[in-house]
Each structure stands twice: as structure tokens, then as C-alpha cells.
Amino acid sequence: MKSKMMKSVFAGLGALMVATSGVGEAAACGGSYFPEIEVDFRPMGIAMAEKQLEQGKTAQAAATIVRIMPHVASLNAKKSKLTERAQRVLAVAIARNNGKLDIASEVPSYAQSHWVGKDAKERAANLTFAVNTLRTVNTIKKDDPAVQTELAEALSRVDSSRSEARDILEKLAKKDLIATPEGYAVLAELRAKAGDSKGKKLALKRCEAMASSASVCRTTA
Amino acid sequence: MIRHATGPAALVIIGLLLPGACKKETPAGSGTSASAAPEPAPASSEKQPPPKPELLGNAERGKELVKTFECNRCHAGTGLEAADFHKDCFQCHRDIISGKFKVADTAKVAKWKKNVMMVQHVPSLEGAGKRLRKQWLTAFLEQPQDLRPNLVPSMPRLALSSQQAADVAAYLTAGEPASKEQSWKANAEAGRTLLETRACGTCHLFTGADLPAKPALKQGESNAAIELAPDLRFTRERLSPDTLVAWLEEPEKMKPGTLMPNLGLTKAQARDVAEYILHAPLKPAAVHPVPKRLAKLDRKVSFAEVQEKVLNRTCAHCHGNPDIAKGDGGPGNTGGFGYKPRHLDLSKYSGIASGYVADDGERHSVFSPKDGAPRIVAALWARHDEQAGKPRPDLRGMPLGMPALPAEDIQVLESWIAQGRPR
């Protein structure tokens, strides 16, 4: 008797599934509207994030990326230009915020992951992501001073790679190819740490001429 | 080599007349002086450069070069397939104008439409071999001149050698008529009258000649016939006398689809017109005035202003960002039209600061000094020099194949650089 009942229940469920399988998208959402054609918002979102980054709104830029691609860290930049661009924005934002992204108010908690950098371990993980990402982008781009400048920024945030950062920036500076004021700010900082106060002043002067905001050129050294 | 309309006197041309423009009328004079009795005369009284020995071109090599230089991205009639849509410059412009080009951002398309309105027509090379002189074409490819005064874009200076120019010319003019000398005599005065009564000046300018002409192109409006009509002063260099006569008699036969109407001329009339076009005395060509370099501005100049007045107007179209264009950053970035990839991105701040890849394979700053100015500024001035008939062998003028930028806009860029290039 019991098994007969079970059979009837399963048959009924099966019939229901068959009956609803041919129904359009709208019905699948319980009758509420659901677009037939989905729009990929990533290209517009990434372009917006790039603009925000250029305007100095680093946390906003990172938040934009994490909101539209919460799984961004797990993607392969070598396989998709969009991934490359998204990861690059996020990596630069991390470097400019020393591993700690103030995105809690803009990104749902389930997507925040370690990006907020609540402790030293998370911040270090974020900086490792930034360095690895920019190394990958640098490999893809081969010879792009803008990427090299950004990589140097990220490297300068990790104790063990500061000399590599300085090497990159000094080479670029010699050819007047440091692509951003942030790059000159980092060079000033690295020169100061190496005891080159004259070099620091020169780099700061370039930074101040290029930057739209004086805060960009404030160094910790 | 032809030097800005002061080249050796030679042949003819023809051009394009509006089909409906052949009624009798007396257009307003162009103000040129009159010497009513045409006689064989040089194109101008200016000093002629010593004639360059004619290079023999190789048509087979020329065909390969036409592929390399991607002539089909602008011109029809190259013997190649039409370029893919995303590489077909003028078709893309026409699609934007006609509304065929669909993107979500309609405001953007409306802006593009304005920008490309006067950049939609380009001469077809169909039948070039039946019309053009190889020697002229070789010289033109080496040093393009402003052949069509009403057409905004002009032939860019390609990165080709004299031999390569001769090869391309040999390919495009295969079948050039053997007869190069004039074997007949005609009445130039009658020819001049015919040019007036058939209203050739509706489309054609004949600079330096005593012929009233006033092509009327309204501001912002495009007219293929007027834009594509060559200045008749170059005809004597471009076409042989017999070719000109044949063209005047039946243009469609020589170039299917041409906008040049059949004027219904008899052979005798065609010869009269040709006689005048070929031999009318010409005043020296007007030289493009190179404006004075302006002093740097005292006020602050932002990168946004530089983008608006200089970089986004033309530069970023060829020196673009490949990341947002399916990997094609344009000929000035990822290469094209035979140009090496220079990897110069003028679409954003970090791009212009990242410089370009020079012939030595190394990156260099676009702000490094070149003849007393930052290189990028020198390139903009070099375009003025090209328009004045003085191309610089070591620097290609920018924007390539487009009118030089006004001195005021170059001043904005130069001032921004002098101020430390603020972002």
C-alpha cells in the first residue's frame, strides 16, 4: 500500500516536471519577469572600474570588479581578455591600498571573501594575488610600461621584492616611461628607503606634476 | 618626384561631374588671373626638381605589396577581396552614417556620425591601369599630394621605398596605354569654353588656371562627386593625352561606376577640352601655409582637455587600446597598412606615458625631444610640413592622411607636456 502511494507521488511529480519543462522563462520564475536575452554586464563594468581606478577611486574600482565577478580570483587571465582586465584592476587597487580593500559597504558579505584584508594574513594573501596577477599580465603584454609600473607598485608592498620593484622603476624612469604618478610616488619611497634623498625629491617632483591630487604623492618613507 | 603641385608639367585627369550639373551656367570666378591664349607651359614658374630616373616596377611584387599595405581597407578596385568589415575603414564609416552600424550606445553613434560624415568617400582604383601614368603613380605613392581639394582625407604616406612604390604602380597600372605623347592638335580656347559651358567647375577645381570654378560643398554635408573630383591641375601629370580624350568621351567605359558623367562630347570636342587642361598656363600652386608655433599657455591644461582637443579627435582612432577592440589597436598600435606595430596607445593617460616601440625595437617616450619639441608635437607639425610639400624623411606627419591640427590645438598639447603632463 505504502509503495503504491509512493509510486503515485513520484508519478505525479514526474508529470509535473514534464508539464513545466516546456514553459517559458517567465513561468520558471513563478510568473515574474525574467529576460529571455541576458546581457553580459562585465565589459561595461570592467570599463567603469578601469575609469574609477584612473580617477583614484581604488576601493570603488575593486568593489565594482568583485560585485560583477565574485569568483574573479579563480579565473585564468591568459584565457580571457575580460578576466585579464578585471584581475589587473583588482590587483592594482590592492597594491595601492596595501592589501586592504575598504569594500565592505559596497559588496555583499558573501562576496567580500578575503579582499577586505581584515588581518595580516589576508592582506598578505591579497598582495600575493596582486603580484602574481600583474606578473601574469606582464607576461601577456610583454613590453608595456604601464603594466611594468603597476607590477613595481605591487612588488614594492612586499618586503622581499622591493629591490626588484626599484630596478623596474629606475629602468623606466631613465627612459621617461613611468606611466603613472603612483609609479613615481613608489620610486620616491624606494629611493628614500635606500638613502637616496636627492633621487626621492626628483621622483616626488615628477609625481606632483603628474598627479591630480597631492595625496597620491604622499610617501611613508 | 612630384613636389606639391610644382612637379613637371604633364598630363591630365578627369574627374567627376555631377550628372545634373552639365547645364550651361557661369559659375562665380575663382579669382585666378587670365591668360586667354593657352600655350604649352609648365605647371608653374617654380623651380622644377631634377627628373628622377624612372624605376622599373615589378607587377608581381606590386600585387603582394598591395596585400601588405592593405590597400583594400580603403580602396575598391585593388584586385583583392573587400576587407573584412572590422578592417574596412570607409565601409564602416558609411554604415555608421546610414544607421546600419548597430551598438547599444546610440549617443556614441550619433557622435561618430558627425565625425565620419566627411570621411566616407574614397576613390576607387577600378580601371586605374587604363587611366593613370605609372611614373606619376610611383611619385604619388612616395609623396602623396592633395589631389582632391574637397576630400577631407588624403592618401597617407605609406612606409614604402621608391622601388616598392614603383612595384605597386606597376601592378595597378598594368595595361597602361603605350602612347604617351600628344599626336594631335586642338583648340584650347574652344576647350576652355566647353569646360565652362558644361559646368565642370561644379565639381572640379582647376587651381592656377584661368577657369572659373567653385564646387559648392555645404558645411557638414557630403557630396561624393564634389569630394572625389580631382584638381584638374594635376591631370597633365596623371594621364596621357590620348587617355584623357578617351576618358572625356566615355568615362564609364574606362572606369565602370564612375561619377564622372558622359558629357556627350565628340572626339574633336574632347580633344579641345584636353588641349586646354593639358596646356593652359598655370600660376604657381598655392602653398599650404604653415602656421606659427604658439607660445605655451600660462593657464593650466588638463589631460581631459588634451584628449578632447587632440587625442580623441583623431589620434586614438589609429593608436587605440587593443584590449577593448578584439586585439586590434589600430595601425598605430598593433600595426596595419604596412606599418610596423608601434604599440602606442593614445586613448588613455597611462598609454601616452608608455611611449612607443621605435625601429630599434626599444620603447621610447613620445615626449623625448625631436628638433626642439617633444616628439609627439613634432609629428603634428610635420603634418603641416607635408601639406606644404616639404615632407620630413625622418618623421611621418600626424594625423596620417588627415588635415593638420590647428596651431591652437597643438599649443594645448605642448603646454600640457611643459606643465609636467598632469593627469
Side-chain angles (χ1 to χ4, degrees), chain B residues 42-320:
Chain B
S44 77
S45 59
E46 291 161 55
K47 268 193 177 174
Q48 303 297 309
K52 210 172 166 181
E54 190 172 355
L55 282 169
L56 285 177
N58 178 313
E60 275 303 305
R61 280 202 307 259
K63 188 178 181 181
E64 284 307 306
L65 287 167
V66 164
K67 281 184 206 163
T68 305
F69 289 102
E70 302 181 307
C71 304
N72 61 337
R73 287 182 68 173
C74 296
H75 296 283
T78 60
L80 305 178
E81 295 273 303
D84 289 344
F85 169 73
H86 74 285
K87 286 196 164 191
D88 191 334
C89 307
F90 287 82
Q91 188 56 51
C92 181
H93 294 175
R94 286 190 290 270
D95 284 356
I96 288 169
I97 291 161
S98 70
K100 259 197 212 169
F101 190 94
K102 301 277 183 206
V103 289
D105 192 343
T106 49
K108 225 175 216 179
V109 178
K111 190 180 155 196
W112 293 346
K113 196 170 169 175
K114 253 188 195 170
N115 292 345
V116 300
M117 184 54 78
M118 300 311 290
V119 196
Q120 56 171 313
H121 302 299
V122 66
S124 164
L125 300 177
E126 200 65 58
K130 291 182 190 163
R131 305 189 312 279
L132 301 176
R133 286 188 159 195
K134 181 158 67 71
Q135 196 176 2
W136 171 81
L137 187 54
T138 304
F140 180 75
L141 287 167
E142 274 195 272
Q143 188 179 320
Q145 56 198 152
D146 192 7
L147 196 62
R148 300 167 206 274
N150 290 307
L151 191 64
V152 172
S154 55
M155 180 72 189
R157 268 173 80 194
L158 297 172
L160 40 61
S161 65
S162 299
Q163 184 59 58
Q164 287 176 320
D167 292 342
V168 172
Y171 167 66
L172 291 175
T173 60
E176 179 191 33
S179 161
K180 291 186 179 180
E181 302 307 321
Q182 185 170 337
S183 58
W184 38 264
K185 280 191 175 175
N187 184 338
E189 192 50 43
R192 184 188 181 283
T193 306
L194 275 166
L195 272 168
E196 280 196 72
T197 54
R198 303 300 172 105
C200 302
T202 305
C203 293
H204 290 283
L205 278 169
F206 193 178
T207 59
D210 168 33
L211 183 77
K214 202 177 179 185
L217 203 56
K218 286 180 192 163
Q219 180 75 26
E221 270 184 31
S222 178
N223 181 314
I226 294 177
E227 286 170 54
L228 292 173
D231 184 340
L232 297 180
R233 82 174 290 127
F234 302 114
T235 307
R236 54 189 70 181
E237 296 160 12
R238 297 175 71 218
L239 308 185
S240 75
D242 286 346
T243 307
L244 176 58
V245 172
W247 170 259
L248 286 165
E249 284 182 285
E250 280 184 280
E252 179 74 23
K253 198 173 168 185
M254 213 167 255
K255 184 179 181 181
T258 181
L259 294 173
M260 169 77 179
N262 189 327
L263 302 171
L265 299 174
T266 63
K267 186 173 269 310
Q269 285 176 317
R271 282 182 170 175
D272 287 346
V273 172
E275 180 78 21
Y276 180 73
I277 293 174
L278 294 172
H279 301 296
L282 298 178
K283 291 205 295 188
V287 176
H288 168 82
V290 177
K292 221 176 129 191
R293 190 168 159 191
L294 301 172
K296 291 173 196 93
L297 294 162
D298 291 331
R299 66 173 177 83
K300 281 197 170 180
V301 178
S302 68
F303 183 60
E305 186 180 353
V306 173
Q307 281 190 302
E308 185 201 328
K309 293 189 173 157
V310 183
L311 303 178
N312 286 357
R313 275 180 55 180
T314 310
C315 314
H317 198 55
C318 292
H319 300 282

Side-chain angles (χ1 to χ4, degrees), chain A:
Chain A
M1 184 69 188
K2 200 175 177 184
S3 76
K4 230 180 181 182
M5 256 182 75
M6 287 297 280
K7 271 183 189 170
S8 305
V9 170
F10 283 126
L13 281 172
L16 191 66
M17 281 169 72
V18 169
T20 55
S21 63
V23 179
E25 303 269 15
C29 272
S32 62
Y33 172 75
F34 190 84
E36 293 276 339
I37 300 166
E38 289 188 43
V39 177
D40 184 356
F41 288 102
R42 290 174 307 159
M44 279 167 75
I46 292 165
M48 188 169 82
E50 287 168 337
K51 205 167 244 178
Q52 288 167 331
L53 189 70
E54 187 151 324
Q55 289 166 347
K57 300 169 185 168
T58 49
Q60 264 185 39
T64 303
I65 296 296
V66 176
R67 264 202 315 271
I68 57 171
M69 296 169 82
H71 56 308
V72 65
S74 65
L75 302 173
N76 186 346
K78 285 182 179 169
K79 287 188 177 169
S80 151
K81 191 51 75 180
L82 280 179
T83 301
E84 180 197 314
R85 289 168 60 197
Q87 289 187 347
R88 182 177 170 186
V89 169
L90 190 56
V92 175
I94 288 168
R96 289 185 185 164
N97 289 285
N98 212 9
K100 190 179 175 183
L101 292 173
D102 185 14
I103 58 171
S105 59
E106 294 192 53
V107 176
S109 55
Y110 67 85
Q112 286 173 15
S113 179
H114 50 85
W115 302 122
V116 288
K118 65 177 187 298
D119 54 34
K121 199 178 161 194
E122 278 193 359
R123 288 196 287 278
N126 288 345
L127 286 170
T128 302
F129 166 83
V131 168
N132 291 343
T133 295
L134 291 166
R135 278 198 201 281
T136 304
V137 177
N138 193 33
T139 312
I140 296 168
K141 299 275 190 188
K142 291 185 184 82
D143 173 30
D144 185 335
V147 178
Q148 288 161 10
T149 303
E150 290 164 0
L151 172 61
E153 273 190 69
L155 289 168
S156 75
R157 304 292 174 223
V158 180
D159 288 343
S160 59
S161 53
R162 288 221 173 93
S163 66
E164 187 186 350
R166 189 170 173 199
D167 283 350
I168 293 171
L169 290 172
E170 292 290 6
K171 270 184 202 157
L172 291 173
K174 210 172 268 179
K175 299 179 87 176
D176 192 10
L177 289 174
I178 290 185
T180 57
E182 286 84 356
Y184 273 108
V186 169
L187 181 61
E189 203 170 297
L190 293 170
R191 281 177 175 173
K193 278 181 179 155
D196 178 6
S197 59
K198 197 178 160 195
K200 175 194 171 183
K201 269 186 195 166
L202 285 172
L204 272 185
K205 202 175 161 194
R206 290 291 297 117
C207 179
E208 282 157 8
M210 288 166 85
S212 46
S213 158
S215 64
V216 171
C217 306
R218 265 182 225 133
T219 66
T220 52

